[in-house]
Amino acid sequence: MAAILCIVVFLLAPLLSHAADPDPLLDFCVADLNASPSFTNFPCKPTSNVTSEDFFFDGFMKEGNTSNLFGVGVTQGNVLAFPALNMLGLSMNRVDLAPNGLNPPHSHPRATESGVVINGKILVGFVTTGNVFYSKVLLPGQMFVIPRGLVHFQKNVGDKKAVIITAFNSQNPGVVILPTTLFGAQPSIPDHVLAQTFQVDSNIVHGIESKFGSPIY
């Protein structure tokens, strides 16, 4: 038995050595967004072309546009907006919510999300894979966490505009917004599939689809 265990450990050793993210071999790798990305990262911008400005991002200084169906404006601070995040495994968003605004149910397939309420009164909720719903109303300074891949939302339940800053353990966490994914896909999901899924008439599906001609963010 001991001999078999040693053989198993020997065979698994190469796999275990790659079980965690490797240590970086460079101080930084500012993304060259004009180049094609590899499986996980963008190629590095030549160091000779890197300046101080590459390491600073002012995208969160402006209020997001909330004049849409849900009253939400999401300013993304991922590698596509802030190339210095390339290979660093993190990113952030600014979420602006009008009174009664909703960041609709969505998920991030590549990251866990944490966030801090900056202004306003926010209802935050998520649903587990076992269909258990967790939620709480948060005030400025309070923090939340959404485990990776779980469907969640944020809703402004106060009477003033609200702001949240969120952070992700991915340079590009991705987002799947349920209403636009289901009713705004191009080409569209067949009406009969959606009608059967939600147990409604196809005319209701048509009515919902007409509201989702363009992405929220």
Side-chain angles (χ1 to χ4, degrees), residues 34-187:
N34 293 319
S36 298
S38 64
F39 182 70
T40 56
N41 301 296
F42 284 91
C44 301
K45 180 179 178 180
T47 304
S48 58
N49 294 338
V50 173
T51 70
S52 293
E53 291 301 314
D54 286 311
F55 299 100
F56 301 93
F57 177 68
D58 61 5
F60 295 161
M61 294 179 67
K62 296 181 180 179
E63 181 178 330
N65 182 7
T66 59
S67 58
N68 54 57
L69 187 64
F70 291 107
V72 61
V74 178
T75 304
Q76 299 186 70
N78 56 29
V79 68
L80 301 177
F82 189 11
L85 296 177
N86 192 41
M87 298 181 67
L88 298 183
L90 58 89
S91 59
M92 301 179 74
N93 285 350
R94 169 176 171 156
V95 183
D96 288 274
L97 293 156
N100 200 43
L102 170 69
N103 195 8
H106 62 280
S107 66
H108 302 288
R110 297 187 287 273
T112 291
E113 173 182 348
S114 61
V116 176
V117 176
I118 305 301
N119 292 314
K121 185 178 180 182
I122 306 292
L123 171 64
V124 178
F126 70 91
V127 181
T128 72
T129 56
N131 286 334
V132 178
F133 176 54
Y134 294 96
S135 68
K136 186 174 181 178
V137 174
L138 301 181
L139 300 175
Q142 292 185 298
M143 181 179 177
F144 63 87
V145 65
I146 308 294
R148 175 178 174 175
L150 297 187
V151 173
H152 60 284
F153 66 87
Q154 295 104 17
K155 181 178 174 63
N156 184 353
V157 293
D159 56 4
K160 298 180 180 179
K161 291 183 178 180
V163 179
I164 310 169
I165 297 296
T166 58
F168 307 88
N169 61 340
S170 169
Q171 67 185 29
N172 191 13
V175 60
V176 179
I177 306 170
L178 269 61
T180 54
T181 297
L182 293 173
F183 295 100
Q186 297 297 327

Side-chain angles (χ1 to χ4, degrees), residues 182-204:
L182 293 173
F183 295 100
Q186 297 297 327
S188 61
I189 298 174
D191 288 352
H192 64 85
V193 172
L194 294 174
Q196 185 174 355
T197 297
F198 293 100
Q199 295 295 291
V200 297
D201 187 86
S202 292
N203 290 330
I204 295 177

Side-chain angles (χ1 to χ4, degrees), residues 7-29:
I7 292 173
V8 171
V9 171
F10 176 78
L11 293 175
L12 289 179
L15 298 177
L16 294 174
S17 66
H18 294 287
D21 291 337
D23 291 331
L25 300 179
L26 301 170
D27 290 340
F28 55 82
C29 176

